Amino acid sequence: MGSTVTTANTVGKSWDGGNNEPLGASYGKLMMWFFIVSDALTFSGFLAAYGFSRFKFIETWPLADEVFTHFPFMHGVSAPMYYVALMTFILIFSSVTMVLAVDAGHQMKQGKVAFYMFLTIIGGLIFVGSQAWEWKNFIHGEYGAVETKGGSILQFVDSKGKRVALADFAVVLPEEREQLTRGKGKWFMEEGTLSTYSVNEVLEGFKARPDLLVRTEVINSAETLKTAEGLNEDKSLNKEKHKFILSRAESERRLADATLVVEGANLQHNEYGSKLFADFFFFITGFHGFHVFSGVIINIIIFINVLLGTYEKRRTYEMVEKVGLYWHFVDLVWVFVFTFFYLV
């Protein structure tokens, strides 16, 4: 008994990346759009999680103007948000050069495509390098703080409310400090790099400086202004966010619970405030930085092909256009990251 196999003729009925172009886009460009949409949903989830976490811990969330104050070659000068704004401008300008490269490709001008691609690559490298420099400052910190048994962060200010670094008042005591490692700690516990000063050195230095006060991580604004024993209130500042400054007596009482000196930020401790801020900062900006770095590598490959005349031989610069879509997406994502982390 035989069987007959019938094969349906599907030639021309299904899209195999050939002549049929849904929405007027080639197969490659449509796949790039699919990737962009899926990646946009990923970033949306990250930023939504950041928003919910910030709303939940709004009273202890660090103030961006106090965290991102550094500018290259201007040590000791407070320049809040200046360098972040410059980074944003450079990345957006690289989108402009990418548009010019795509337009030059449409006109089949190899030299101009190579020139504008080169500028785009330079802009991307500057941005990635700037992000690495910003990470370095964020990790090392500038002032330092102490952490209490309950996990609260206590910072130090002078009588005028200006931040004071630990190095400006901490004393050096003749004590031996040993880093806890997995081989010496109980239950395989370990700690990170030892801080510059111990808790005792900070406390002794604080006692020797009667003009110093403790500032808590709690943000004080018109909505959260509350009367609390031992807290200084300046009602003229109600319209702006600031942090509670304790009286001298209350400062000494709170410092009695200090257990750890915190310098900078990592995934476990954060001298600026809520630990979640550092977690989200490293994860989201790192994830975006990985996208920018990947885009730079891809742009370099396309740039080399342009110099070799690969696309001139094909009589199309569609590859430049496809990588341009990715680059514009990376720039657009940074606009949202910049808004959420630095402006809001």
Coordinates of all heavy atoms in Angstrom, one line a residue, residues 25-108:
A25 N 10.5 47.8 4.6 CA 11.8 47.6 5.3 C 12.5 46.3 4.8 O 11.8 45.3 4.7 CB 11.7 47.6 6.8
S26 N 13.8 46.3 4.6 CA 14.4 45.1 4.3 C 14.5 44.1 5.5 O 14.1 44.5 6.6 CB 15.9 45.4 3.9 OG 16.6 45.9 5.0
Y27 N 14.9 42.9 5.2 CA 14.9 41.9 6.3 C 15.8 42.3 7.4 O 15.5 42.2 8.6 CB 15.4 40.6 5.7 CG 15.5 39.4 6.7 CD1 14.4 38.7 7.0 CD2 16.7 39.1 7.3 CE1 14.4 37.6 7.9 CE2 16.8 38.1 8.2 CZ 15.7 37.4 8.5 OH 15.8 36.4 9.4
G28 N 17.0 42.8 7.1 CA 18.0 43.3 8.1 C 17.5 44.4 8.9 O 17.6 44.4 10.2
K29 N 16.8 45.4 8.3 CA 16.3 46.5 9.1 C 15.2 46.1 10.0 O 15.0 46.6 11.1 CB 15.9 47.7 8.1 CG 17.1 48.5 7.7 CD 16.7 49.9 7.2 CE 16.1 49.7 5.8 NZ 15.8 51.1 5.2
L30 N 14.3 45.2 9.5 CA 13.2 44.8 10.3 C 13.7 44.0 11.5 O 13.1 44.2 12.6 CB 12.2 43.9 9.4 CG 10.8 43.7 10.0 CD1 10.1 45.1 10.2 CD2 10.0 42.8 9.1
M31 N 14.7 43.2 11.3 CA 15.2 42.4 12.5 C 15.9 43.4 13.5 O 15.8 43.2 14.7 CB 16.3 41.4 12.0 CG 15.7 40.3 11.2 SD 14.4 39.3 12.1 CE 12.9 39.9 11.3
M32 N 16.5 44.5 13.0 CA 17.1 45.5 13.9 C 16.0 46.2 14.7 O 16.1 46.4 15.9 CB 17.9 46.5 13.1 CG 18.5 47.6 14.0 SD 19.6 47.0 15.3 CE 21.0 46.6 14.3
W33 N 14.8 46.4 14.0 CA 13.7 47.0 14.8 C 13.1 46.1 15.8 O 12.8 46.5 16.9 CB 12.6 47.4 13.8 CG 12.8 48.8 13.1 CD1 13.1 49.1 11.8 CD2 12.8 50.0 13.8 NE1 13.3 50.4 11.6 CE2 13.1 51.1 12.8 CE3 12.6 50.4 15.1 CZ2 13.1 52.4 13.1 CZ3 12.6 51.8 15.4 CH2 12.9 52.8 14.4
F34 N 13.1 44.8 15.5 CA 12.6 43.8 16.5 C 13.5 43.8 17.7 O 13.1 43.8 18.8 CB 12.6 42.4 15.9 CG 11.5 42.1 15.0 CD1 11.5 41.1 14.0 CD2 10.3 42.9 15.0 CE1 10.4 40.8 13.2 CE2 9.3 42.7 14.2 CZ 9.3 41.6 13.2
F35 N 14.8 43.9 17.5 CA 15.8 43.9 18.6 C 15.6 45.2 19.4 O 15.6 45.2 20.6 CB 17.2 43.8 18.0 CG 18.3 44.2 19.1 CD1 18.6 43.2 20.1 CD2 18.9 45.4 19.1 CE1 19.5 43.5 21.0 CE2 19.8 45.7 20.1 CZ 20.2 44.7 21.0
I36 N 15.4 46.3 18.7 CA 15.3 47.6 19.4 C 14.0 47.6 20.3 O 14.1 48.0 21.5 CB 15.3 48.8 18.4 CG1 16.7 49.0 17.8 CG2 14.8 50.0 19.1 CD1 16.7 50.0 16.7
V37 N 12.9 47.1 19.8 CA 11.7 47.0 20.6 C 11.9 46.2 21.8 O 11.5 46.5 22.9 CB 10.5 46.5 19.7 CG1 9.3 46.3 20.6 CG2 10.2 47.6 18.6
S38 N 12.5 45.0 21.6 CA 12.7 44.1 22.8 C 13.6 44.7 23.8 O 13.4 44.6 25.0 CB 13.2 42.7 22.3 OG 14.5 42.9 21.7
D39 N 14.7 45.4 23.3 CA 15.6 46.0 24.2 C 15.0 47.2 25.0 O 15.3 47.5 26.1 CB 16.9 46.4 23.5 CG 18.1 46.2 24.3 OD1 18.1 45.4 25.2 OD2 19.1 46.9 24.0
A40 N 14.1 47.9 24.3 CA 13.4 49.0 24.9 C 12.5 48.5 26.0 O 12.4 49.2 27.1 CB 12.6 49.8 23.8
L41 N 11.9 47.4 25.9 CA 11.1 46.8 26.9 C 11.9 46.4 28.1 O 11.5 46.6 29.3 CB 10.3 45.6 26.4 CG 9.3 45.9 25.3 CD1 8.7 44.6 24.8 CD2 8.2 46.8 25.9
T42 N 13.1 45.9 27.9 CA 14.1 45.6 29.0 C 14.4 46.8 29.8 O 14.4 46.8 31.0 CB 15.3 44.9 28.4 OG1 15.0 43.8 27.6 CG2 16.3 44.5 29.5
F43 N 14.9 47.9 29.1 CA 15.2 49.1 29.8 C 14.0 49.7 30.5 O 14.2 50.3 31.6 CB 15.8 50.1 28.8 CG 17.3 50.0 28.5 CD1 17.8 49.4 27.4 CD2 18.2 50.4 29.5 CE1 19.1 49.3 27.2 CE2 19.5 50.3 29.3 CZ 20.0 49.7 28.1
S44 N 12.8 49.6 29.9 CA 11.6 50.1 30.5 C 11.4 49.4 31.9 O 11.0 50.0 32.9 CB 10.4 49.9 29.6 OG 10.6 50.6 28.4
G45 N 11.6 48.1 31.9 CA 11.4 47.3 33.1 C 12.4 47.8 34.2 O 12.1 47.9 35.4
F46 N 13.7 48.0 33.8 CA 14.7 48.5 34.7 C 14.4 49.8 35.3 O 14.5 50.0 36.5 CB 16.1 48.5 34.0 CG 16.6 47.2 33.6 CD1 17.6 47.1 32.6 CD2 16.2 46.0 34.2 CE1 18.1 45.9 32.2 CE2 16.7 44.8 33.8 CZ 17.6 44.7 32.8
L47 N 14.0 50.7 34.5 CA 13.7 52.1 34.9 C 12.4 52.1 35.8 O 12.3 52.9 36.7 CB 13.5 53.0 33.7 CG 14.8 53.3 33.0 CD1 14.6 54.2 31.7 CD2 15.9 53.9 33.9
A48 N 11.4 51.3 35.5 CA 10.2 51.2 36.3 C 10.6 50.6 37.7 O 10.1 51.2 38.7 CB 9.2 50.3 35.6
A49 N 11.4 49.6 37.7 CA 11.9 49.1 39.0 C 12.6 50.2 39.8 O 12.4 50.3 41.0 CB 12.8 47.9 38.8
Y50 N 13.4 51.0 39.1 CA 14.1 52.1 39.8 C 13.1 53.1 40.4 O 13.3 53.6 41.5 CB 15.1 52.8 38.8 CG 15.7 54.0 39.3 CD1 16.8 54.0 40.1 CD2 15.1 55.3 39.0 CE1 17.4 55.2 40.6 CE2 15.6 56.5 39.5 CZ 16.7 56.4 40.3 OH 17.3 57.6 40.8
G51 N 12.1 53.4 39.6 CA 11.1 54.4 40.0 C 10.3 53.9 41.2 O 10.1 54.7 42.2
F52 N 9.9 52.7 41.2 CA 9.2 52.1 42.4 C 10.1 52.1 43.6 O 9.6 52.5 44.7 CB 8.7 50.7 42.1 CG 7.5 50.7 41.2 CD1 7.5 50.0 40.0 CD2 6.3 51.3 41.6 CE1 6.4 50.0 39.2 CE2 5.2 51.3 40.8 CZ 5.2 50.6 39.6
S53 N 11.3 51.7 43.5 CA 12.2 51.7 44.6 C 12.5 53.1 45.2 O 12.6 53.3 46.4 CB 13.6 51.0 44.2 OG 13.3 49.7 43.8
R54 N 12.7 54.0 44.3 CA 12.9 55.4 44.7 C 11.7 55.9 45.5 O 11.9 56.6 46.5 CB 13.3 56.3 43.6 CG 13.5 57.7 44.0 CD 14.0 58.6 42.8 NE 14.1 60.0 43.2 CZ 14.6 60.9 42.5 NH1 15.1 60.6 41.3 NH2 14.7 62.1 43.0
F55 N 10.5 55.6 45.0 CA 9.3 56.1 45.6 C 9.2 55.5 47.0 O 8.8 56.2 48.0 CB 8.1 55.8 44.8 CG 6.8 56.2 45.4 CD1 6.4 57.5 45.3 CD2 6.0 55.3 46.0 CE1 5.2 58.0 45.9 CE2 4.8 55.7 46.6 CZ 4.4 57.1 46.5
K56 N 9.6 54.3 47.2 CA 9.4 53.6 48.4 C 10.4 54.1 49.5 O 10.1 54.2 50.7 CB 9.6 52.1 48.3 CG 9.5 51.3 49.6 CD 9.6 49.8 49.3 CE 9.3 49.0 50.6 NZ 9.4 47.5 50.4
F57 N 11.7 54.5 49.0 CA 12.7 54.9 49.9 C 13.0 56.4 49.6 O 14.2 56.8 49.7 CB 13.9 54.1 49.8 CG 13.7 52.6 50.1 CD1 13.5 51.7 49.1 CD2 13.6 52.2 51.4 CE1 13.3 50.3 49.3 CE2 13.4 50.8 51.7 CZ 13.2 49.9 50.7
I58 N 12.0 57.2 49.3 CA 12.3 58.6 48.9 C 13.0 59.4 49.9 O 13.8 60.3 49.6 CB 10.9 59.2 48.5 CG1 11.2 60.6 47.8 CG2 10.0 59.3 49.7 CD1 11.9 60.5 46.5
E59 N 12.7 59.1 51.2 CA 13.3 60.0 52.3 C 14.8 59.7 52.5 O 15.5 60.6 53.0 CB 12.6 59.7 53.6 CG 11.2 60.2 53.6 CD 10.5 60.1 55.0 OE1 11.1 59.5 55.8 OE2 9.4 60.6 55.2
T60 N 15.3 58.6 52.0 CA 16.8 58.3 52.2 C 17.5 58.2 50.8 O 18.6 57.8 50.8 CB 17.0 57.0 52.9 OG1 16.4 55.9 52.2 CG2 16.4 57.1 54.3
W61 N 16.8 58.6 49.7 CA 17.4 58.5 48.4 C 18.4 59.6 48.2 O 18.1 60.8 48.5 CB 16.3 58.6 47.3 CG 16.7 57.9 46.1 CD1 17.0 58.4 44.9 CD2 16.6 56.5 45.9 NE1 17.3 57.4 44.0 CE2 17.0 56.2 44.6 CE3 16.3 55.4 46.7 CZ2 17.1 54.9 44.1 CZ3 16.4 54.1 46.2 CH2 16.8 53.9 44.9
P62 N 19.6 59.3 47.8 CA 20.7 60.4 47.6 C 20.2 61.5 46.7 O 19.5 61.2 45.7 CB 21.9 59.6 47.1 CG 21.6 58.2 47.5 CD 20.1 58.0 47.5
L63 N 20.7 62.7 46.9 CA 20.5 63.8 46.0 C 21.6 63.8 44.9 O 22.8 63.8 45.2 CB 20.5 65.1 46.8 CG 19.5 65.2 48.0 CD1 19.7 66.5 48.7 CD2 18.1 65.1 47.4
A64 N 21.1 63.8 43.7 CA 22.1 63.8 42.6 C 23.1 64.9 42.6 O 24.2 64.8 42.2 CB 21.3 63.7 41.3
D65 N 22.6 66.1 43.0 CA 23.5 67.3 43.0 C 24.6 67.1 44.0 O 25.6 67.9 43.9 CB 22.7 68.5 43.4 CG 21.8 69.0 42.2 OD1 22.0 68.5 41.1 OD2 20.9 69.8 42.4
E66 N 24.5 66.2 45.0 CA 25.5 66.0 46.0 C 26.4 64.8 45.6 O 27.5 64.7 46.1 CB 24.9 65.8 47.4 CG 24.2 67.0 47.9 CD 23.7 66.7 49.3 OE1 23.9 65.5 49.8 OE2 23.2 67.6 50.0
V67 N 26.0 64.0 44.7 CA 26.7 62.8 44.3 C 27.6 63.0 43.1 O 28.8 62.7 43.1 CB 25.7 61.6 44.0 CG1 26.5 60.4 43.6 CG2 24.9 61.3 45.3
F68 N 27.0 63.6 42.1 CA 27.8 63.8 40.8 C 28.2 65.3 40.7 O 27.7 66.1 40.0 CB 26.8 63.4 39.6 CG 26.2 62.1 39.8 CD1 24.9 62.0 40.1 CD2 26.9 60.9 39.6 CE1 24.3 60.7 40.3 CE2 26.4 59.7 39.8 CZ 25.0 59.6 40.1
T69 N 29.3 65.6 41.4 CA 29.8 66.9 41.5 C 31.2 67.1 40.9 O 31.7 68.2 41.0 CB 29.8 67.4 43.0 OG1 30.7 66.5 43.7 CG2 28.4 67.3 43.6
H70 N 31.8 66.0 40.4 CA 33.1 66.1 39.9 C 33.2 66.6 38.5 O 32.3 66.4 37.7 CB 33.8 64.7 40.1 CG 33.8 64.2 41.5 ND1 32.7 63.5 42.0 CD2 34.7 64.3 42.5 CE1 33.0 63.2 43.2 NE2 34.2 63.6 43.5
F71 N 34.4 67.2 38.2 CA 34.7 67.6 36.8 C 36.2 67.3 36.6 O 37.0 67.7 37.5 CB 34.3 69.0 36.5 CG 34.1 69.3 35.1 CD1 32.8 69.3 34.5 CD2 35.2 69.7 34.3 CE1 32.6 69.6 33.2 CE2 35.0 69.9 32.9 CZ 33.7 69.9 32.4
P72 N 36.6 66.7 35.4 CA 38.0 66.5 35.2 C 38.9 67.7 35.4 O 38.5 68.8 34.9 CB 38.0 65.9 33.8 CG 36.6 65.4 33.6 CD 35.7 66.3 34.3
F73 N 40.0 67.5 36.0 CA 41.0 68.6 36.2 C 40.6 69.7 37.0 O 41.2 70.8 37.0 CB 41.5 69.1 34.8 CG 41.9 68.0 33.8 CD1 41.1 67.8 32.7 CD2 43.0 67.2 34.1 CE1 41.4 66.8 31.8 CE2 43.3 66.2 33.2 CZ 42.6 66.0 32.0
M74 N 39.5 69.5 37.8 CA 38.9 70.6 38.7 C 38.7 69.9 40.0 O 37.6 69.9 40.6 CB 37.6 71.1 38.1 CG 37.8 71.9 36.8 SD 36.2 72.5 36.1 CE 35.6 73.5 37.5
H75 N 39.8 69.4 40.6 CA 39.7 68.8 41.9 C 39.4 69.8 43.0 O 39.9 70.9 43.1 CB 41.1 68.1 42.3 CG 41.1 67.4 43.6 ND1 40.4 66.2 43.8 CD2 41.7 67.7 44.8 CE1 40.5 65.8 45.0 NE2 41.3 66.7 45.6
G76 N 38.4 69.4 43.8 CA 38.0 70.3 44.9 C 36.9 71.3 44.5 O 36.4 72.0 45.4
V77 N 36.6 71.4 43.3 CA 35.6 72.3 42.8 C 34.3 71.6 42.6 O 34.2 70.6 41.9 CB 36.0 73.0 41.5 CG1 34.9 73.9 41.0 CG2 37.3 73.7 41.6
S78 N 33.2 72.1 43.3 CA 31.9 71.5 43.2 C 31.2 71.9 41.9 O 30.9 73.1 41.7 CB 31.1 71.8 44.4 OG 29.8 71.2 44.3
A79 N 31.0 71.0 41.0 CA 30.3 71.3 39.7 C 29.2 70.3 39.5 O 29.3 69.4 38.7 CB 31.3 71.2 38.6
P80 N 28.1 70.4 40.3 CA 27.0 69.4 40.2 C 26.4 69.3 38.8 O 26.0 70.3 38.2 CB 26.0 69.9 41.2 CG 26.3 71.4 41.4 CD 27.8 71.5 41.2
M81 N 26.5 68.1 38.3 CA 25.8 67.8 37.0 C 26.5 68.3 35.8 O 26.0 68.0 34.7 CB 24.3 68.2 37.0 CG 23.5 67.8 38.3 SD 23.5 66.0 38.5 CE 22.5 65.6 37.0
Y82 N 27.5 69.1 35.9 CA 28.2 69.7 34.7 C 28.7 68.7 33.8 O 28.5 68.7 32.6 CB 29.3 70.7 35.2 CG 28.8 72.0 35.8 CD1 27.4 72.1 36.1 CD2 29.6 73.1 36.0 CE1 27.0 73.3 36.7 CE2 29.2 74.3 36.5 CZ 27.8 74.4 36.9 OH 27.4 75.5 37.4
Y83 N 29.5 67.7 34.4 CA 30.1 66.7 33.5 C 29.1 65.8 33.0 O 29.3 65.3 31.8 CB 31.2 66.0 34.3 CG 32.1 65.2 33.4 CD1 32.9 65.8 32.4 CD2 32.3 63.8 33.5 CE1 33.7 65.1 31.6 CE2 33.1 63.1 32.7 CZ 33.8 63.8 31.7 OH 34.7 63.1 30.9
V84 N 28.1 65.4 33.7 CA 27.1 64.5 33.2 C 26.4 65.2 32.0 O 26.0 64.6 31.0 CB 26.0 64.2 34.3 CG1 25.0 63.3 33.7 CG2 26.7 63.5 35.5
A85 N 26.1 66.5 32.1 CA 25.5 67.2 31.0 C 26.4 67.2 29.8 O 26.0 67.1 28.7 CB 25.2 68.7 31.4
L86 N 27.7 67.4 30.0 CA 28.7 67.3 28.9 C 28.7 66.0 28.2 O 28.7 65.9 27.0 CB 30.1 67.7 29.4 CG 31.2 67.7 28.4 CD1 30.9 68.6 27.2 CD2 32.6 67.9 29.0
M87 N 28.7 64.9 29.1 CA 28.6 63.5 28.5 C 27.4 63.4 27.6 O 27.4 62.8 26.5 CB 28.6 62.5 29.7 CG 29.9 62.4 30.4 SD 29.6 61.4 31.9 CE 28.7 60.0 31.3
T88 N 26.2 63.9 28.1 CA 25.0 63.8 27.4 C 25.1 64.5 26.1 O 24.6 64.0 25.0 CB 23.8 64.3 28.2 OG1 23.8 63.6 29.5 CG2 22.5 64.1 27.5
F89 N 25.7 65.7 26.1 CA 25.8 66.5 24.8 C 26.7 65.7 23.8 O 26.4 65.7 22.6 CB 26.4 67.8 25.1 CG 26.8 68.6 23.9 CD1 25.8 69.3 23.2 CD2 28.1 68.7 23.5 CE1 26.1 70.0 22.0 CE2 28.4 69.4 22.4 CZ 27.5 70.0 21.6
I90 N 27.8 65.1 24.3 CA 28.7 64.4 23.4 C 28.0 63.2 22.8 O 28.1 63.0 21.5 CB 29.9 63.9 24.2 CG1 30.8 65.1 24.6 CG2 30.7 63.0 23.3 CD1 31.9 64.8 25.5
L91 N 27.2 62.5 23.5 CA 26.5 61.3 23.0 C 25.4 61.7 22.0 O 25.3 61.1 20.9 CB 25.9 60.5 24.1 CG 25.4 59.1 23.7 CD1 26.5 58.2 23.2 CD2 24.7 58.4 24.9
I92 N 24.7 62.8 22.3 CA 23.7 63.3 21.4 C 24.3 63.8 20.1 O 23.8 63.6 19.0 CB 22.8 64.3 22.0 CG1 22.0 63.7 23.2 CG2 21.9 65.0 21.0 CD1 21.1 64.7 24.0
F93 N 25.4 64.5 20.2 CA 26.1 65.0 19.0 C 26.6 63.8 18.2 O 26.6 63.9 16.9 CB 27.3 65.9 19.5 CG 28.0 66.5 18.3 CD1 27.4 67.6 17.7 CD2 29.2 66.0 17.8 CE1 28.1 68.2 16.6 CE2 29.9 66.6 16.8 CZ 29.3 67.7 16.1
S94 N 27.0 62.7 18.8 CA 27.4 61.5 18.0 C 26.2 61.0 17.2 O 26.4 60.4 16.1 CB 28.0 60.5 18.9 OG 27.0 59.8 19.7
S95 N 25.0 61.2 17.6 CA 23.8 60.8 16.8 C 23.7 61.7 15.6 O 23.3 61.2 14.5 CB 22.5 60.9 17.7 OG 22.2 59.7 18.2
V96 N 24.1 63.0 15.7 CA 24.0 63.9 14.6 C 25.0 63.4 13.5 O 24.7 63.4 12.3 CB 24.3 65.3 15.0 CG1 24.4 66.2 13.8 CG2 23.3 65.8 16.0
T97 N 26.3 63.1 14.0 CA 27.3 62.6 13.0 C 26.9 61.3 12.4 O 27.2 61.0 11.2 CB 28.6 62.5 13.7 OG1 28.5 61.6 14.8 CG2 29.1 63.8 14.2
M98 N 26.1 60.4 13.1 CA 25.7 59.2 12.5 C 24.6 59.5 11.5 O 24.6 58.8 10.4 CB 25.1 58.3 13.6 CG 24.5 57.0 13.1 SD 25.7 56.0 12.2 CE 26.6 55.2 13.6
V99 N 23.7 60.4 11.7 CA 22.7 60.8 10.7 C 23.4 61.3 9.4 O 23.0 60.9 8.3 CB 21.8 61.9 11.2 CG1 21.0 62.5 10.1 CG2 20.9 61.3 12.3
L100 N 24.5 62.1 9.6 CA 25.2 62.6 8.4 C 25.9 61.5 7.7 O 26.0 61.5 6.4 CB 26.2 63.6 8.9 CG 25.7 64.9 9.5 CD1 26.8 65.8 10.0 CD2 24.8 65.7 8.5
A101 N 26.4 60.4 8.4 CA 27.0 59.3 7.8 C 26.0 58.5 6.9 O 26.3 58.1 5.8 CB 27.6 58.4 8.8
V102 N 24.8 58.3 7.5 CA 23.7 57.6 6.8 C 23.3 58.4 5.5 O 23.2 57.8 4.4 CB 22.5 57.4 7.7 CG1 21.3 56.8 6.9 CG2 22.9 56.4 8.8
D103 N 23.2 59.7 5.7 CA 22.8 60.5 4.5 C 23.9 60.5 3.4 O 23.6 60.4 2.2 CB 22.6 62.0 5.0 CG 22.2 62.9 3.8 OD1 21.1 62.7 3.3 OD2 23.0 63.8 3.5
A104 N 25.2 60.5 3.9 CA 26.3 60.4 2.9 C 26.3 59.1 2.2 O 26.6 58.9 1.0 CB 27.6 60.6 3.6
G105 N 25.8 58.0 2.9 CA 25.7 56.7 2.3 C 24.7 56.6 1.3 O 24.8 56.0 0.2
H106 N 23.6 57.3 1.5 CA 22.5 57.4 0.5 C 23.0 58.1 -0.8 O 22.5 57.8 -1.9 CB 21.3 58.1 1.0 CG 20.5 57.4 2.1 ND1 19.7 58.0 3.0 CD2 20.5 56.1 2.4 CE1 19.2 57.1 3.8 NE2 19.7 55.9 3.5
Q107 N 23.9 59.0 -0.6 CA 24.5 59.7 -1.8 C 25.7 59.0 -2.4 O 26.3 59.5 -3.3 CB 24.9 61.1 -1.4 CG 23.7 61.9 -0.9 CD 24.1 63.3 -0.4 OE1 25.0 63.9 -1.0 NE2 23.5 63.8 0.7
M108 N 26.1 57.8 -1.8 CA 27.2 57.0 -2.2 C 28.5 57.8 -2.2 O 29.3 57.8 -3.1 CB 27.0 56.5 -3.6 CG 25.7 55.6 -3.8 SD 25.9 54.1 -2.7 CE 27.2 53.3 -3.5

